[in-house]
Amino acid sequence: MTTIALAIHGGCGVLPLDSMSAEEWAEARQDLVRALTAGWSVLKGGGSAVDAVQAAVVVMEDSPHFNAGHGAALNEDGIHELDASIMDGATLEAGAISAARGIRNPVRAAHALMNDGRAVFLTGAAADDFAAGAGLAVVGQDYFTTQKRIEALTAMKAHAAAGTEASENEKHGTVGAVALDAAGHLAAATSTGGYTNKPAGRVGDSPVIGAGTYARDGVCAVSGTGKGEFFIRHVVGHEIAARISYLGETVQQAAEHVVHVDLAGSSQTTGIIGAGVVALDSAGQLSAPFNTAGMFRGWVTPDGRAFVATHQDVHEVQP
Ligand code: ASP
């Protein structure tokens, strides 16, 4: 059988167990399963890695439990500004949008832009206009807002006023996927609302090709989550690919080095930068390191076994 493989993440952080009810944890895990199923059925049907990562990310964008699409974080003005990107490892074609305010599924806009080919990256109103012109669903800001995100913004503003540190899960989150298709092609996609109380117009790493998202056939596909400023400075996705290409490291060695060594001590004020990635090589080998207490994640091995996890416990599921 030709090797196919898929991995997803739904953001990393402290993920305190009391931040969600038992039902909400179960729902979030179920949404990870649905995302895996969506991506896996594309790959099993002989579809492309690009279509598979889009299918998986759309499910997580539609879920209120992850910081992307419905349920995205609010910026300092109480506005949702959405970032997303997608990359085809076969051609190095990519599409990215940032600071969009009304695209229901930002990853679809990134994909449409990649197919359009006139630009790799559109921002702000231009990204929204492009999505509308491409016939994609455009919605009001209310669609993205959940009670949790309103409470998180209030909490972040209170922390800012009091000079105290917010918990990681009040701050950020992201969703992403990497896939290897039956033709041997790799792809990656990432989508996010950024972090709560971010400056208006701030763009994170998720739409920056080479930082939050990268795919190159024969090397690896990467999607990251964590404080975007550090992912941009370390050019994380491309750095992992470079370590594999130039140093001959395995995908595990390269991804773990970047997450556990490069991103450790990046900040003089906060020490280790909370970070995680999913990375897949062209043989279907997966690495999903994170340096926080947890990362929403899931994967399907080349033999079709599927797993989801939030903290250290790993649950086998039916894809
Ligand atoms: N990487 C995202 C950003 O900085 C946030 C996250 O993944 O937690 O926009």
Side-chain angles (χ1 to χ4, degrees):
M1 183 188 122
T2 326
T3 299
I4 54 175
L6 174 70
I8 60 172
H9 71 81
C12 70
V14 176
L15 309 188
L17 288 173
D18 61 2
S19 65
M20 300 207 291
S21 66
E23 294 76 49
E24 286 172 320
W25 282 108
E27 272 172 34
R29 274 199 297 273
Q30 201 46 44
D31 288 346
L32 292 175
V33 176
R34 293 195 306 112
L36 282 179
T37 306
W40 192 246
S41 41
V42 171
L43 295 173
K44 255 196 347 199
S48 72
V50 168
D51 288 341
V53 291
Q54 172 176 294
V57 167
V58 162
V59 171
M60 292 185 283
E61 286 180 338
D62 290 345
S63 164
H65 298 296
F66 309 110
N67 174 11
H70 178 53
L74 290 157
N75 74 8
E76 62 182 0
D77 296 335
I79 303 281
H80 301 280
E81 292 192 324
L82 310 168
D83 299 341
S85 66
I86 195 163
M87 185 165 190
D88 183 348
T91 58
L92 301 185
E93 287 171 335
I97 58 111
S98 67
R101 294 187 172 197
I103 305 170
R104 182 185 172 110
N105 288 110
V107 72
R108 287 192 197 278
H111 193 174
L113 186 62
M114 178 173 88
N115 289 342
D116 179 86
R118 283 176 297 163
V120 168
F121 205 154
L122 286 180
T123 193
D128 286 303
D129 291 348
F130 170 80
L136 298 176
V138 174
V139 292
Q141 282 264 301
D142 283 359
Y143 165 77
F144 303 111
T145 311
T146 60
Q147 188 56 32
K148 285 226 143 168
R149 295 303 177 199
I150 294 171
E151 286 163 14
L153 182 61
T154 308
M156 283 294 290
K157 287 197 179 289
H159 281 297
T164 50
E165 186 61 20
S167 71
E168 290 290 317
N169 68 318
E170 279 172 329
K171 291 188 207 161
H172 55 82
T174 283
V175 307
V178 289
L180 171 68
D181 67 27
H185 299 313
L186 290 163
T190 311
S191 179
T192 189
Y195 66 88
T196 301
N197 207 27
K198 67 183 180 180
R202 177 265 188 187
V203 175
D205 61 309
S206 305
V208 177
I209 297 301
T213 304
Y214 192 68
R216 187 181 196 115
D217 272 15
V219 186
C220 66
V222 180
S223 172
T225 172
K227 190 75 188 296
E229 283 66 18
F230 296 93
F231 276 69
I232 294 171
R233 292 171 191 160
H234 284 273
V235 203
V236 163
H238 187 269
E239 183 71 7
I240 292 171
R243 294 189 72 88
I244 295 170
S245 309
Y246 306 153
L247 296 178
E249 289 187 347
T250 64
V251 69
Q252 286 87 359
Q253 288 168 330
E256 286 181 12
H257 182 92
V258 171
V259 169
H260 295 305
V261 180
D262 293 347
L263 291 172
S266 289
S267 159
Q268 288 175 352
T269 48
T270 57
I272 290 177
I273 302 309
V277 303
V278 286
L280 193 61
D281 74 9
S282 49
Q285 289 296 312
L286 166 71
S287 179
F290 51 96
N291 61 19
T292 54
M295 178 165 82
F296 289 102
R297 59 203 188 279
W299 62 96
V300 189
T301 56
D303 60 0
R305 292 178 68 195
F307 303 86
V308 298
T310 55
H311 299 78
Q312 295 305 327
D313 295 349
V314 174
H315 305 259
E316 182 153 8
V317 295
Q318 290 309 311

